[in-house]
Amino acid sequence: MSRIAGSNSTTLSADRTVRIDTDHHLVELMQSAVDRLHGNRVDVQLCDEYVLLRGSVNSWSAKQSAQESIRRMSASRTIQNDLAVIGS
């Protein structure tokens, strides 16, 4: 029988505990959202208080769309958009 022990772990039995890393899952979702728009040229990093976008895009509108693609998932974290615009 499983039970939730705290917000990030599930106890499966008396001798085995599984930790669920919610931040890892969140950054994977954000990376996937950005990759759909911009391929693998943008890197998403999750920090305690902010989400960092690094890499390069082809236009200012692409820079903005990368930021907007993760806005809802960032919750209370600030988005620091350090994307370089190349080619425009």
Side-chain angles (χ1 to χ4, degrees), residues 37-68:
L37 295 173
H38 305 290
N40 294 325
R41 298 182 327 198
V42 175
D43 184 43
V44 179
Q45 296 175 352
L46 193 61
C47 303
D48 289 334
E49 297 176 12
Y50 62 94
V51 179
L52 178 61
L53 295 176
R54 285 195 172 157
S56 61
V57 291
N58 294 328
S59 67
W60 291 100
S61 63
K63 180 175 179 169
Q64 186 67 31
S65 71
Q67 179 174 320
E68 293 306 314

Side-chain angles (χ1 to χ4, degrees), residues 16-80:
R16 190 171 142 200
T17 299
V18 176
R19 292 244 175 242
I20 301 170
D21 186 353
T22 55
D23 283 347
H24 179 75
H25 182 65
L26 181 59
V27 78
E28 283 181 344
L29 289 173
M30 288 185 202
Q31 187 69 60
S32 177
V34 171
D35 286 349
R36 278 192 296 268
L37 295 173
H38 305 290
N40 294 325
R41 298 182 327 198
V42 175
D43 184 43
V44 179
Q45 296 175 352
L46 193 61
C47 303
D48 289 334
E49 297 176 12
Y50 62 94
V51 179
L52 178 61
L53 295 176
R54 285 195 172 157
S56 61
V57 291
N58 294 328
S59 67
W60 291 100
S61 63
K63 180 175 179 169
Q64 186 67 31
S65 71
Q67 179 174 320
E68 293 306 314
S69 71
I70 64 166
R71 182 163 307 282
R72 286 188 179 185
M73 291 179 269
S74 66
S76 62
R77 290 180 174 102
T78 303
I79 299 172
Q80 183 174 333

Side-chain angles (χ1 to χ4, degrees), residues 6-21:
S7 63
N8 289 331
S9 65
T10 303
T11 302
L12 301 174
S13 66
D15 62 335
R16 190 171 142 200
T17 299
V18 176
R19 292 244 175 242
I20 301 170
D21 186 353

